Amino acid sequence: MAESKVRKAAAPATDKAAKKAAKPVAKPKKPESHLATVRRARKINRELAELYPYAHPELDFENPFELLVATVLSAQTTDLRVNQTTPVLFAKYPTPEDMAAAVPEELEEIIRPTGFFRAKARSLLGLSAALRDRFGGEVPGRLEDLVTLPGVGRKTANVVLGNAFGVPGITVDTHFGRLARRFGWTAEEDPEKVEAAVAEIFPKSEWTMLSHRVVFHGRRVCHSRKPACGACPIAPLCPSYGEGETDPEKARKLLKYELGGQPGQRLRPPAGYPGQAAAPGAGAGGAAGPGAAAGDGQGEVA
């Protein structure tokens, strides 16, 4: 009798286990093929082109030398802070020859607001002397020449080549690297490996503008700590959707710069920019302004 009760009591548990085992197990998603990744990546680029038809370098400059100097200064600070600093800098040292002859302490004082001013001053003095002595006072238009200059790596060189010489290049700053990984274009962390991986996905003619669009999106929508997923037009194409705020109303409050109704980073934005020009700030050391975050620039600290 007791044995019969035990059997009856065990039966329901056995039935449940059997039913549970019989349920189909969700199959893991198949890894995306390289072709699918390329197609999705290029669609993201097209969507970003529609969202940011006005994408541009966010450093104020008039010539290759000014862009080179501004990019070196942009390391570990905002482009806005650099733009508020360079008018005084270029008024005093308009050419490589002038800057190479600068008194180090005076140069340091002018660029102090950009941070790491001693290291940056050494780079500016060194690259200016190199331009004077080895390149006739002109910024070279080749990557292999630019990277020989003090304080200039591939990232800075690509900024200068793409925007001052029209030579296609991919600029892998912190924003670009972060989004390239979030978009599933690469899992690499090293900037040069990210550059190589992305270069295989997009035609060379797109490299410079792709860089601007991705950086714009990283600064305005796909932030490092709290991306505005719910306000992102390319969310359906992003495998990382959900890492940030998905509620549309809350996400819209996270938007920065012109998308958030705030000034941009340039004191002299190009024609067609839909936002406001940034304020000049107090002398060389004006405040970074709303929406600006430290380390927003694209340069490299020597």
Side-chain angles (χ1 to χ4, degrees):
M1 187 71 176
E3 184 181 350
S4 174
K5 287 182 179 179
V6 171
R7 285 178 179 173
K8 286 181 180 179
T14 304
D15 290 345
K16 285 181 182 177
K19 287 179 181 177
K20 189 175 181 181
K23 286 183 179 179
V25 179
K27 295 181 179 179
K29 290 184 178 180
K30 292 182 178 179
E32 189 175 48
S33 69
H34 179 68
L35 180 59
T37 298
V38 170
R39 287 175 173 169
R40 183 173 57 81
R42 293 185 178 186
K43 189 170 183 181
I44 287 175
N45 184 37
R46 292 194 294 272
E47 293 285 338
L48 291 178
E50 290 187 15
L51 181 61
Y52 306 112
Y54 51 87
H56 59 272
E58 294 189 90
L59 291 168
D60 289 325
F61 70 97
E62 295 292 339
N63 55 58
F65 177 63
E66 289 190 1
L67 178 58
L68 176 61
V69 169
T71 306
V72 169
L73 291 177
S74 72
Q76 301 300 309
T77 190
T78 62
D79 285 354
L80 173 56
R81 181 59 61 90
V82 174
N83 292 337
Q84 292 171 327
T85 301
T86 51
V88 173
L89 180 67
F90 294 140
K92 190 171 180 66
Y93 310 113
T95 69
E97 291 83 359
D98 294 324
M99 194 167 289
V103 176
E105 291 77 14
E106 293 180 2
L107 178 60
E108 288 175 3
E109 190 57 33
I110 293 174
I111 67 173
R112 180 186 289 269
T114 69
F116 299 95
F117 59 93
R118 290 191 179 89
K120 290 178 180 179
R122 285 195 298 272
S123 293
L124 296 186
L125 289 168
L127 71 84
S128 296
L131 292 177
R132 178 195 63 197
D133 300 338
R134 294 196 280 122
F135 297 101
E138 299 292 333
V139 176
R142 299 195 315 158
L143 179 70
E144 48 269 44
D145 292 329
L146 283 169
V147 295
T148 67
L149 300 174
V152 179
R154 287 185 66 89
K155 182 167 56 176
T156 297
N158 278 329
V159 170
V160 174
L161 290 174
N163 299 288
F165 293 99
V167 178
I170 297 172
T171 303
V172 184
D173 69 352
T174 55
H175 303 288
F176 192 99
R178 179 176 72 251
L179 268 63
R181 288 183 288 274
R182 282 183 178 168
F183 291 159
W185 297 351
T186 180
E188 298 290 351
E189 295 281 345
D190 179 77
E192 288 194 27
K193 291 181 179 178
V194 172
E195 180 185 342
V198 175
E200 293 182 357
I201 296 175
F202 296 93
K204 197 170 184 178
S205 59
E206 286 290 307
W207 289 356
T208 300
M209 286 310 301
L210 171 73
S211 299
H212 291 322
R213 293 165 190 152
V214 172
V215 170
F216 257 57
H217 197 61
R219 285 175 169 169
R220 288 152 176 77
V221 179
C222 196
H223 314 132
S224 176
R225 294 182 182 175
K226 201 170 185 181
C229 294
C232 181
I234 60 170
L237 296 169
C238 182
S240 298
Y241 174 79
E243 284 190 13
E245 180 59 66
T246 56
D247 179 85
E249 289 301 320
K250 292 180 180 178
R252 272 193 284 273
K253 294 177 182 179
L254 299 173
L255 300 178
K256 294 182 179 180
Y257 301 111
E258 76 283 352
L259 296 188
Q262 301 157 344
Q265 298 211 84
R266 294 189 67 165
L267 276 62
R268 294 174 282 123
Y273 179 65
Q276 310 165 51
D296 213 33
Q298 297 180 329
E300 293 142 314
V301 176

